[in-house]
Amino acid sequence: VGAGVIEGEYAPSCVEKIADLRRIVACAVAQTGCHDDKAVALSEQIPLQLTSVAFKAQAAAWTHGEAKGEAALTAVTTDSRQIPPEALFLPIKGERFDAHDFIGKAIENGAAAVMSHRENEEYPVPALYVENTSQALLDLAGGYRTMCGGKVVGVTGSVGKTTTKELLYAVLSQGFRAQKTEGNLNNEIGLPLTLMRMTRDTEVLVAEMGMNHFHEIERLSQSANPNLAIVSKIGTSHIGILGSRENIARAKAEIVQGMCAAGDYLPLLV
């Protein structure tokens, strides 16, 4: 399968296109790749497994951060109220709240380690200091994704992307061990957490990507490194922010920025 674009709009409701789409996706999934031969050790229930060495040597490298202390981690969470065993708590700063304010509560609830961009604060558990935790979440997931053997199919578009994702998953799960974005967790928090749900047995992940500004899809794509990408119909969603359908199309086309090739096989855009 070489690089290519199928002209025209793909309508998820067009049953006559399913067979062709299945053939294209199945062939590309079978022949494309973007991964390290070394697979990370995974728990079947808890998706992200980091040894104490990985915390310092890999997690810090992926996020361009500085690790203080050692930790054996088996999970990553952004919710200070729900801390799985041996979890890294990753606080996100939003417009109204800064989850760094809840690091203490996360530690009380059992966080084994924390990530922080407050370089002057010290914590009683191992800490990974980064410049920006939102970007670090994408970087951490991207590093983890490179250690997985599965392929990623990225799906975006103004309308129909969730339906397209569900259709693709329904088709691909018949022949592959497949996973998908749950619900519409398609933003800069939901996508990386979705990537970190992959296991060593995952053959293909169907990842939905949403946006309302320029460069959002670019960041998501650079984290997920999709081998294949599907852009559904370009409509007028977020036109008030982006200004025109042409700009919306440009923003959606950012999905190519992180597409991943391997060997002689180039990424495929549908």
Side-chain angles (χ1 to χ4, degrees):
V1 177
V5 177
I6 294 178
E7 298 295 336
E9 294 179 344
Y10 168 67
S13 61
C14 293
V15 177
E16 65 272 15
K17 295 196 178 208
I18 292 178
D20 288 341
L21 183 61
R22 180 174 183 173
R23 175 182 57 79
I24 292 167
V25 173
C27 183
V29 166
Q31 298 191 51
T32 62
C34 178
H35 61 276
D36 192 299
D37 289 334
K38 297 178 181 178
V40 66
L42 296 172
S43 163
E44 295 302 324
Q45 289 77 33
I46 303 174
L48 178 58
Q49 175 89 33
L50 293 177
T51 66
S52 59
V53 173
F55 180 68
K56 299 194 74 171
Q58 293 178 330
W62 293 340
T63 58
H64 311 289
E66 179 185 358
K68 294 184 178 180
E70 296 279 8
L73 303 174
T74 58
V76 173
T77 182
T78 59
D79 189 342
S80 64
R81 300 165 299 179
Q82 300 178 5
I83 305 293
E86 300 180 323
L88 169 70
F89 175 61
L90 198 156
I92 301 296
K93 182 178 181 180
E95 294 182 359
R96 293 184 298 170
F97 300 101
D98 186 349
H100 285 74
D101 295 336
F102 302 101
I103 288 179
K105 180 59 67 175
I107 294 173
E108 287 180 14
N109 289 337
V114 299
M115 184 181 289
S116 176
H117 60 222
R118 294 180 177 177
E119 60 183 358
N120 294 323
E121 290 191 1
E122 295 186 357
Y123 307 101
V125 296
L128 179 57
Y129 294 89
V130 297
E131 184 175 344
N132 182 291
T133 55
S134 296
Q135 182 60 50
L137 175 59
L138 290 166
D139 294 338
L140 184 67
Y144 175 77
R145 181 261 184 275
T146 64
M147 297 185 68
C148 292
K151 312 301 187 293
V152 174
V153 181
V155 179
T156 192
S158 298
V159 293
K161 56 183 175 289
T162 299
T163 302
T164 303
K165 173 204 70 179
E166 295 292 339
L167 173 61
L168 280 170
Y169 175 76
V171 172
L172 291 172
S173 62
Q174 299 304 305
F176 301 96
R177 291 186 293 274
Q179 290 182 293
K180 64 176 180 176
T181 299
E182 295 297 333
N184 62 347
L185 298 176
N186 59 19
N187 62 13
E188 291 179 282
I189 297 176
L191 175 84
L193 293 178
T194 296
L195 291 173
M196 289 189 285
R197 288 179 54 247
M198 296 176 74
T199 73
R200 60 174 171 263
D201 294 326
T202 302
E203 293 182 289
V204 58
L205 169 69
V206 184
E208 182 178 332
M209 302 182 189
M211 66 92 208
N212 56 23
H213 290 83
F214 281 118
H215 304 302
E216 287 186 69
I217 294 292
E218 178 182 0
R219 290 191 291 270
L220 296 178
S221 180
Q222 289 174 343
S223 179
N225 291 140
N227 306 104
L228 299 94
I230 294 177
V231 180
S232 65
K233 183 176 180 180
I234 301 300
T236 57
S237 301
H238 311 302
I239 198 168
I241 297 173
L242 294 172
S244 68
R245 290 185 71 177
E246 289 74 15
N247 283 343
I248 294 171
R250 291 188 185 97
K252 297 297 185 181
E254 292 172 3
I255 198 168
V256 304
Q257 296 299 316
M259 292 187 71
C260 183
D264 294 330
Y265 301 106
L266 300 177
L268 179 69
L269 174 64
V270 178

